[in-house]
């Protein structure tokens, strides 16, 4: 039997058909889980966020309009908002980490070329919670500092500061990665 089309799966989900819901979960859970992990940082908590997000997805799937965008984008926004709600529930853990800002710290593009995607994602996941959330929203999702401040219930200046510190910390970690020659083993 041929695999059902995405349109068939979405139509079935709108009618509440469990096999179609299962097919949608199977098709997109890996991608959506990676979004949860980027925001939450912890695998167990990310699984909880993903489950909550799928509950919301199936609750509101009737409002999905394919003329306004893809199902993948629509679900991604739900996942990001669910992760943000989870973060706000537990309270944003602002780090007291102090970073010595040095504008001369830079990372050679060749380091990034030689790193595996998983290594880069792990560096982002290793950021303190507040830095990671702002970095993901600003750099990955493209939100403005005003939007981020509203979503995370922080001040705009805190959003800017957290992004700057996240970038600086990532530069430092990338240089440490290079100096440890871990990147050389990946070639």
């Amino acid at each position: 039997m041929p695999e059902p089309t995405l349109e068939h799966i979405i139509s079935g989900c709108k009618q509440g058909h469990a096999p179609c819901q299962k097919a949608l979960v199977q098709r997109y859970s890996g991608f959506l889980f990676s979004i949860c992990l980027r925001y939450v940082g912890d695998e167990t908590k990310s699984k909880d966020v993903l489950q909550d997000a799928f509950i919301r997805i199936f609750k509101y799937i009737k409002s999905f309009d394919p003329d306004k965008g893809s199902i993948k984008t629509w679900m991604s926004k739900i996942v990001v908002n669910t992760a943000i709600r989870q973060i706000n529930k537990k309270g944003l853990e602002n780090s007291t980490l102090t970073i010595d800002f040095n504008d001369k710290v830079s990372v050679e593009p060749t380091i990034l070329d030689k790193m595996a995607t998983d290594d880069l994602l792990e560096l982002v996941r290793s950021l303190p919670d507040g830095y990671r959330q702002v970095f993901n929203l600003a750099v990955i999702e493209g939100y403005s500092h005003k939007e981020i401040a509203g979503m995370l219930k922080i001040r705009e200046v805190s959003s800017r500061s957290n992004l700057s510190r996240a970038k600086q910390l990532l530069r430092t970690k990338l240089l440490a990665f290079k100096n440890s020659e871990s990147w050389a083993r990946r070639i």
Side-chain angles (χ1 to χ4, degrees):
M1 180 173 193
E3 187 174 324
T5 65
L6 183 57
E7 292 78 19
H8 175 77
I9 292 170
I10 294 168
S11 175
C13 288
K14 287 182 176 186
Q15 296 172 18
H17 294 150
C20 291
Q21 291 172 335
K22 182 178 179 181
L24 191 72
V25 169
Q26 288 176 332
R27 189 175 280 203
Y28 290 104
S29 61
F31 168 74
L32 297 174
F33 179 74
S34 68
I35 294 172
C36 294
L37 198 53
R38 269 198 343 249
Y39 282 90
V40 180
D42 176 79
E43 285 196 33
T44 302
K45 291 177 185 175
S46 294
K47 289 176 184 176
D48 292 341
V49 168
L50 182 60
Q51 182 175 354
D52 290 346
F54 269 114
I55 290 169
R56 295 185 68 76
I57 287 167
F58 294 128
K59 181 177 180 180
Y60 296 107
I61 192 129
K62 289 182 182 179
S63 69
F64 169 69
D65 182 356
D67 294 333
K68 293 183 180 177
S70 73
I71 188 76
K72 190 174 181 179
T73 302
W74 183 80
M75 290 189 305
S76 296
K77 288 181 181 182
I78 291 174
V79 169
V80 168
N81 289 330
T82 304
I84 300 278
R85 266 194 296 287
Q86 175 67 24
I87 292 163
N88 287 336
K89 277 184 189 175
K90 75 172 187 166
L92 188 62
E93 296 174 10
N94 286 317
S95 175
T96 58
L97 181 66
T98 304
I99 297 175
D100 179 24
F101 287 95
N102 179 355
D103 291 336
K104 295 179 182 174
V105 174
S106 64
V107 178
E108 300 169 37
T110 56
I111 297 170
L112 298 175
D113 291 340
K114 295 180 181 183
M115 289 182 75
T117 303
D118 289 344
D119 293 325
L120 290 170
L121 290 173
E122 185 57 38
L123 285 177
V124 172
R125 278 198 304 267
S126 74
L127 290 170
D129 288 348
Y131 298 173
R132 184 179 61 250
Q133 275 66 0
V134 172
F135 181 85
N136 281 320
L137 289 168
V139 176
I140 309 288
E141 306 296 338
Y143 286 103
S144 71
H145 289 292
K146 183 176 184 174
E147 292 169 318
I148 294 168
M151 293 168 87
L152 297 178
K153 297 178 175 55
I154 60 175
R155 297 184 346 222
E156 277 185 64
V157 69
S158 297
S159 176
R160 285 186 185 90
S161 174
N162 282 355
L163 179 59
S164 178
R165 290 181 178 144
K167 288 179 177 180
Q168 182 64 32
L169 190 54
L170 285 172
R171 281 185 204 104
T172 302
K173 288 176 181 254
L174 284 168
L175 286 173
F177 187 83
K178 177 192 176 204
N179 292 337
S180 72
E181 296 188 21
S182 297
W183 61 271
R185 291 189 297 269
R186 310 254 190 267
I187 298 176

